[in-house]
Amino acid sequence: MRHKFLGRLVLASAAMLFLAGVGRAQQTGEVDDAALRAADADSANWLTYGRTYSEQRFSPLKQIDEQNVGKLGLAWSYDLQTLRGIEATPLVKDGVLYTTSAWSIVYAFNAKTGSLLWKYDPEVPKEHAKYVCCDVVNRGVALYKGRVYVGTLDGRLVAVDAKTGLPVWDVQTTPKDGSYAITAAPRIAKGRVLIGNAGAEYPVRGYVSAYDAETGKLAWRTYTVPGDPSKPFESDAMQRAAATWSGEWWKAGGGGTAWESMVYDPELDLVYFGTGNASPWYDELRGKGDNLYVASIVAVRADNGEQVWHYQTTPGDNFDYDATQPLMLATFTIDGAKRRVLMQANKNGFFYVIDRETGKVISARPFAPVNWATGIDANGRPIENPAARDLKDAALVKPSAEGAHNWNPISFSPATGLVYLAVLEDTSLHAIIPNWKINLHDQTTGSDRAYRGPARDEYLKIKDAGRLLAWDPIAQREAWHVDLPDPKSGGTLATAGNLVFHGRADGKLSAYRATDGKLLWEFDAGVGIAAPPMTFSVDGVQYVAVASGWGGPQVLGNRPAGKGHVGLGKLLVFRLGGTATIAPYKRVVRPVPMPTFKMEATAADVEEGRKLFANTCSRCHGGDVVSGGSVLDLRYSTQSTHEMFEEIVLGGARREFGMPSFTGDVTSAQVRLIHAYILDRARESAIADAAAK
Ligand code: CA
C-alpha cells in the first residue's frame, strides 16, 4: 500500500511532494525499511527507539508549544503494578502504543483512550535477577512488519504479533542460564533485528547479534572482546584486540557488553554500538593494556557485522566507564565543512563529536567535573591522571561509576542546535576487595563495597549534584542548565514547539523552553521518572507519554538510598486540556520493629557479616541494610523469614520473588555471619526509631 502511495508521489512536482509530506500526518501501512528511513516525516508516529534512525528524539509536532504547554493535563494513565525501575520508550504506530515494563513484559494500548489491547509476559525466571547489575528493567521494543520485538532479561529475543500479542518466534541469544541479560530495545536494520546483551559486571564476553526479522535465524554475530587465543579468532578485529590484553582475560570473559546504544546509519550502511567495561573492573585484577574493544564506540557493516572502525573512549577502563550511552547521528557544518557526525555524552564526563565515516574524534570536552583525565589529546586519547588508577588504598574518581551521563536518552533539537541531557555530578570510591578471587557465577567487578579506610571519610563528605544541561555540540559548551533538587533524573525529549520534556527522581515531569531553559510546566507524577518522554499524535491531537517507576542502581545499590520516590510505576499520557488525575504519592515508612529472633554472635562475627553483606547482598538490598524501597528491606524481616534464612539464601526458597540461591557464592557459615549483621542492623534501627518517636 505504502509503496504505491510513494510511487504516485514521485510523479508529482517537488512542491507537491513537499506539501504531501507535511500533510501526511499519519501514515498507515507497515513499519518497513522505507517507513523507518522516512520516520522523521511521519510526525504522528514514533516508530523506533530514538524516533528516527538518527535517534535525535526530536519531534516535529508543535500543537503543544511554549505558549500553551501550561494547559497540558493527564489524558490517561495505566498502573504497571511494579516497584521496579521502568526505563522504556513507548513506540506508537497508527494509534497503538507499545511499551515494556519490568521483567520484559510488553503492553499494547489504544494510544488515545488507554485501553489495554494486549499484554505479553515472556515469563522471565525471577531468579535471573541475580545476573542483572542494575534492576530488572527493559527499555522498549522494536516494530517491524506487523511484529513487536523484545529482548528479555534472560537473554531471549522474542517476536510478537503486533495485533494479537502472541509470540511468533523466541530465540535464546545468550548462553542459557548464563550470567547475561538483555535490557536494551532491539533495533531494526534491513530486515534484521539487532540485539546486544548486558553483563560486564559478570564473567561474560560481549557481542552483538543480528537476527532475520521474519524467521529468527541468526544472520551474524560480532564479538566485542577477543576470546581464548588458543582457538582461532573470529575476525581480524579480534586478533588485533588480543594484542591489547594480558594475562588470561578470556577465563573471566573480558566483558565489553553492548548493553544499550545501537544505531543504524542508512547513509553509510553502518551499525554503531557502544561497549561496556572490562571484567573485572580493575586492571590490577585482569591485567594491563587498553583492552580493545571495551569502553569503545564500534562501527560495523550492517550486512555482516564486520568491523569498520572503533574509537575507545576509555582505554584500559578502570572506572566502569561503559561507552554504551545514547549515540546520536547528525550532519553538521564544522569549520566550513559538512561533517557526518555521531555524538555521545559519555559516562566518563566527555561529550564526543566523532566523524562517523572514519571514527576520528572531531572534538571532545568535559560536560561535568572530571578528575580521571585532564583532556583528550590530538589522537583522541585521554590524558590520564595516574592518581585515579592508583588503588593501593582507594581512589576517589569523578565522574562516578554511575556516569556523568548514563543510559537515559538524550535529545537534539535541529531548531536550537542544542543537545539536552541529564548530568550527574558524583564521585566513586574505587577500592579492590582484599584477596579477591574470581567467582564464575556471580559479579566479577572486584570492587570492594565494604571498604573502610581514610578515603571513605573523604568520600562521605562529597555532595553529589545533578542538572538538566543544554549543550552546544559544535561549540562544545553549555548553553544553559537547570539545577535539580534530586541529582538523579531521566531522559529528555525535544519538540518543534520549542520545548524540552524531562522527568526526575522526585516524580516531576517538567517542560522547559528549549532556547533558554525557562520552566513552563510541571506535573507531579509522584513516583520518580527515569524513562524518557516521547510524543505522538492520533486524530490530529498531540500527546506526550512517559512512564514513572524509579529503580535501577540508584535505588538498589550499595549507596545509601537517594531521595528518589520509589513507588508503583505508571504509564502517563498527556494532552492539552487533559483532566485525568492520579492519587498523590505517599510512601509510608514504618519504624523498624525489634526482631524477636535470637542468635548468638560476637562483634567480630557482625563485622565479618558486614563485609560479606556489602559485597554479596547490598547491590539489591541496599547499603547498610537500608533498602531503597523496591526490594525487601531486610531489617523488617519477620520471625518466619529469620527462621528460614539459610533456606532462602542457599536453598532458593524465595526464588519466585527474584531472590536467587547463593549456593556456591557463600557458605553456610558465611550465611550465619550475614544473618548476624542483618539482625544487628535491625536492632540498631529499631532502637533509633523507638527513640525518635
Ligand atoms: Ca558497567
Side-chain angles (χ1 to χ4, degrees), residues 103 124-130 647-663:
W103 303 108
V124 169
K126 296 284 192 288
E127 67 263 33
H128 202 78
K130 184 183 179 191
E647 240 175 284
I648 294 167
V649 179
L650 296 182
R654 299 272 161 90
R655 224 178 226 124
E656 69 271 30
F657 302 108
M659 171 63 194
S661 160
F662 282 80
T663 298

Side-chain angles (χ1 to χ4, degrees), residues 200-201 259 277 281 320 322 347:
E201 271 65 41
W259 60 264
N277 56 278
W281 278 3
D320 187 25
D322 319 67
K347 252 175 130 180

